[in-house]
């Protein structure tokens, strides 16, 4: 089994990167691989538990919540979180952590593969 | 585990924040417990950042920190320069010109390849 | 063996670099499925992205893969990110 | 005051949300008090959206609402199609092919020109 | 004097659009023009009053707050605000309103010029 | 008279369209100052964007303007957005 690290630098809705990353990571977890993810820049908005969008059955955040439930380790860049007004991740899903680039560097150290999207 | 990481800067600088937040990331990669080794390469529209007159004040602090940690190379790709009508004389001396073949070699040599 | 992950904004330089690697495998993701991969032989494209865009007939010999198969390719090959 | 508005869809669809949120905007522009008239033109990478097989389910509801309000034209630019190797036969019939000269004329005729 | 409407579809930090728009709008207001602005898609994040970023003297939000103080009318798309987890603009600057596309359509109706960035 | 606001992602089509308008004025904003405007005569570029990027010498005959001057151009001309 492999350890795969994802770097996600864009937020939900605006581009489809949240969708590709969350589905690819889910597939990796289902196959028994380890998944870590660092959310950098606008990527941190994916941690929010407060998304409401009636047009879709599931909001992007639901996919990230499911990754955490399946055992993924997700860390959001704290500098980015506070710069973007998200108050230390006050409204993030439980299990999505606020950390720093050292956490990302450690993920890369443990990773067999690194994917950026 | 220590890894060799190539950071490729491919986006036009200033329009998006990757040109400077990428350098923040480089510092972080080098200063963690694993002490990863990083090489930086500018290509595509990212090559514009290597122009002499481009404002490097936002990343100057990171570059200095990086130099204090270890010797790090900054490359810029010749094909990208040619496509954009940039000659070697237009470049800041920090950036060493390499060919696309060299870039392919850097990609092969490094364990991890990031696009910024 | 290296797997080049290609999206449209970096497709030109990414594919051109992949051509310099005789062992290159290329995976087109997202808008990358619009890219012109002529000159490359071992090309894959993500099913969901191809179907949304309706470009199956434009892909030449590219193999259409789902996320499960992409995971396998990622695990089997070093990944080079141009996405 | 009622205005004539041209919405140009220029970005590759699906990678970014503009292709569908732009249609939401078109509906809103037409249904407000001013009852603006809107024309839609696909060009650049936006032309890919006009392919027969591309998934238009997200904007189908908007297109229907638009049709109920007033007659609206959907154009796609020939030069953009040619650059991308798309022939007229590949297109959904909703989209009428125009030349770049025609696009320039639409730009001149409309009061407001949006890029999406 | 003219009425200028801005459409802003990207958020703070990630791209420099927030900077161009806010400085151009400020220049227009200083010259005595009327300014309206509709924040759509990620543009709605510019309304947040909670940004904290020590590296800069001013955060992007400060520039939008100043536009409001100078008399600009700024409305953020409510569907985008809630979809992006920003809870009806709970943490937006006072004076930055949450509305809908009809508000934008009305801005366009009143505008002599429309700028998108 | 129309004023074409040009950023890099839409520069090619925007400038090509402006060339079809004999009264076109072009303003390069943000990364648009990297664009090639050969064949166009009435070209402006935003000072702050030019200075950050250090491209003054690449601009040919383009007039460098500040935000105040850009506001005046916007007020005097219909605006066409390619930014």
């Amino acid at each position: 089994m492999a350890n795969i690290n994802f770097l996600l630098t864009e937020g939900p809705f605006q581009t489809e990167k949240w969708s590709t990353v969350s589905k690819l990571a889910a597939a990796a977890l289902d196959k028994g691989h380890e998944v870590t993810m660092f959310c950098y820049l606008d990527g941190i908005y994916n941690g929010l538990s407060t998304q409401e969008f009636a047009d879709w059955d599931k909001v992007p955040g639901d996919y990230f919540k499911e990754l955490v439930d399946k055992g993924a380790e997700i860390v959001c860049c704290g500098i980015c979180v506070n710069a973007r007004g998200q108050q230390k991740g006050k409204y993030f899903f439980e299990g999505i952590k606020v950390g720093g680039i050292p956490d990302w560097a450690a993920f890369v150290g443990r990773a067999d593969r690194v994917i950026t999207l | 585990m220590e890894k060799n990481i190539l950071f490729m800067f491919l986006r036009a600088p200033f329009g998006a924040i990757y040109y400077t937040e990428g350098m923040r990331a480089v510092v972080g990669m080098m200063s963690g417990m694993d002490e990863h080794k990083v090489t930086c390469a500018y290509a595509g529209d990212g090559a514009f950042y290597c122009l002499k007159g481009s404002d490097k004040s936002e990343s100057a602090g990171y570059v200095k920190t990086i130099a204090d940690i270890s010797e790090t190379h900054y490359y810029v790709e010749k094909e990208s320069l040619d496509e954009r009508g940039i000659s070697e004389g237009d470049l800041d001396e920090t950036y060493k010109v390499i060919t696309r073949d060299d870039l392919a070699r850097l990609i092969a040599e490094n364990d991890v390849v990031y696009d910024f | 063996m290296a797997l080049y992950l290609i999206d449209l904004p970096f497709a030109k330089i990414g594919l051109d670099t992949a051509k310099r690697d005789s062992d290159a495998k290329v995976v087109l993701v997202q808008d990358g499925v619009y890219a012109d991969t002529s000159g490359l032989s071992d090309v894959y494209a993500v099913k969901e992205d191809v179907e949304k865009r309706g470009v199956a007939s434009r892909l030449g010999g590219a193999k259409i893969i789902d996320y499960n198969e992409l995971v396998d390719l990622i695990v089997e090959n070093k990944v080079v990110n141009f996405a």
Side-chain angles (χ1 to χ4, degrees), chain A residues 22-86:
Chain A
S22 62
K23 290 173 185 170
L24 186 56
L29 289 162
D30 290 344
K31 284 180 162 267
H33 300 298
E34 282 182 69
V35 166
T36 61
M37 187 181 297
F38 189 68
C39 297
Y40 195 44
L41 311 179
D42 274 7
I44 63 95
Y45 294 124
N46 294 295
L48 283 163
S49 64
T50 46
Q51 301 169 359
E52 288 179 31
F53 189 54
D55 292 12
W56 294 348
D57 296 337
K58 278 167 75 173
V59 292
D62 295 337
Y63 293 82
F64 290 88
K65 169 75 166 60
E66 284 171 20
L67 294 181
V68 172
D69 292 344
K70 287 181 191 223
E73 262 187 85
I74 304 184
V75 174
C76 296
C77 159
I79 290 173
C80 309
V81 167
N82 294 332
R84 284 165 179 75
Q86 301 306 309

Side-chain angles (χ1 to χ4, degrees), chain A residues 5 7 9-10 17 40-41 77 79-80 84 101-102 104-112 114-117, chain B residues 1-3 5 7 11 17-18 20-22 24-25 27-30 32-34 36 112-116:
Chain A
N5 174 250
L7 171 67
T9 61
E10 299 196 3
K17 295 200 171 186
Y40 195 44
L41 311 179
C77 159
I79 290 173
C80 309
R84 284 165 179 75
I101 297 180
W104 174 18
F107 283 160
V108 171
R110 284 159 51 197
D112 299 300
V114 172
I115 311 286
T116 73
L117 273 164
Chain B
M1 202 181 86
E2 183 199 316
K3 293 213 163 72
I5 307 177
F7 271 74
R11 288 172 176 88
I17 200 79
Y18 289 77
T20 162
E21 292 291 71
R24 186 200 295 275
V27 171
M29 283 295 154
M30 296 175 69
M33 224 173 55
D34 293 307
H36 302 305
V112 171
V113 181
Y114 275 120
D115 49 343
F116 258 84

